[in-house]
Amino acid sequence: MPHSNKIRVLLIDDDEDDFIITRDTIDEIPGRNYVLEWTASFGEALELIKQEKHDVYLVDFRLGAHDGLELISQAVEGGSLAPFILLTGQSDRETDEKAMRVGASDYLVKGTFDPFSLERSIRYSVEHAKSMAEIHKLNSELEQRVDERTRELGEAVKKLEETNRSLYEAQVEIRKALQKEKELHELKSRFVTIASHEFRTPLSTVLSSASLIGKYKATEDDEKRQKHVERIKSAVSNLTTILNDFLSISRIEEGKIYNVPTTFDLKDFTAEIVDEMQGLVKIGQKIHYQHSGPETIVTLDKQLLKNIILNLLSNASKYSGEGKQIYIDTAVNSTINLSVKDEGIGIPDADKVHLFTPFFRAQNVTNIQGTGLGLNIVNRYVDIMDGSLTYESELNEGTTFRITFPIHPITA
Ligand code: ATP
Ligand code: MG
């Protein structure tokens, strides 16, 4: 906006007569507070409007090839906030409305306005434009403040979300820890119950056999004595197995079992274990071992693997009758594969879901000895070795356990 005290008026009109008339009218305004400039060119007018040297524009409706409405709308689109007063040759409501719509602040009919009405229109328009500029400024300040607040709010929301997320994560962690604690507690209490029960049977065998041995004093009782010595041995060996299983599970629980792979010949290794077990199976049972394919070298944790094989073979023998055959197969392809198959009692469908739960024993085991820990240990060892275990079982037909290990082990 210009800074002089006088109000600078630009007349945009292609008719010089109009300029002279307007100038005379303005000159008659008391106080002579106005400076009038004139341009007849549409283009120049737009340029001058851009320079913001004037306080108010009087725009003729007719401007050669263009018209005043066009000029006003282009100027307003270009961002001008100055007041435009449209001058027309005749009074008509439609032009008036159009003028207002494109952004003119007033509308005067040529030849009808006197110095007083011109002065009044200019004064009102200038005041109105000032108010509009003020509103515009306030609006943009407001917009800026809203933007700032929105940004601040956005940041606050983001921080809240972060806090929320970490709280949620903490909650998940705590829940996990609690769940683990609960499981451990349940396991411990089951341990105590089962241990007292499992230990009582072999211990009472030891006790009764020991006291009977004390009674068989004669030489001819040697056979009976020997029988009870064997019973004691077997009971003690049972106790040792149970204790070892307990120890294994508690070491797994404590995270103390590590996968330590070494490279060895799987075929030789398995054959040795099978030899070891061959002497421990029931009468007429035989373990058949077969390795398929030329590749025999693997990288696995030997100790964990041996434990797995022993457990599966011992189950195969234990849950099969005398004279039944047991098959163990190994192969090394894109994975390392091991399967143990028996012709035993099988696992009832209803029991399958619980098979790997510690202390679980299927309902068809009747009086076959066992603690229900072996498969839990097998399953966890397979897991530690990054392998996977599946099985299929048909009641009274037999059971097959299959284990797959990756060729390249991960170490922990
Ligand atoms: P132990 O802890 O002495 O091994 P267990 O043999 O009873 O005792 P797991 O080896 O964990 O325990 O087996 C759990 C249950 O799964 C067994 O009690 C039995 O019911 C069933 N089971 C396991 N292997 C076989 C199999 N080869 N044939 C039939 N049932 C089986
Ligand atoms: Mg077992």
Side-chain angles (χ1 to χ4, degrees), residues 366-385:
T366 53
N367 53 5
I368 304 170
Q369 287 261 338
T371 328
L373 288 177
L375 279 185
N376 180 264
I377 295 169
V378 167
N379 199 29
R380 288 175 181 235
Y381 280 3
V382 169
D383 206 44
I384 292 169
M385 292 166 78

Side-chain angles (χ1 to χ4, degrees), residues 315 318-319 342 346-347 355 360-362 365 370-375 399:
N315 278 350
K318 194 156 74 162
Y319 300 109
D342 65 52
I347 301 156
L355 207 63
F360 178 81
R361 308 203 65 218
V365 295
T371 328
L373 288 177
L375 279 185
T399 305

Side-chain angles (χ1 to χ4, degrees), residues 2 55 136 144 146 184 380 383:
D55 301 293
H136 190 80
Q144 211 175 325
V146 167
L184 218 69
R380 288 175 181 235
D383 206 44

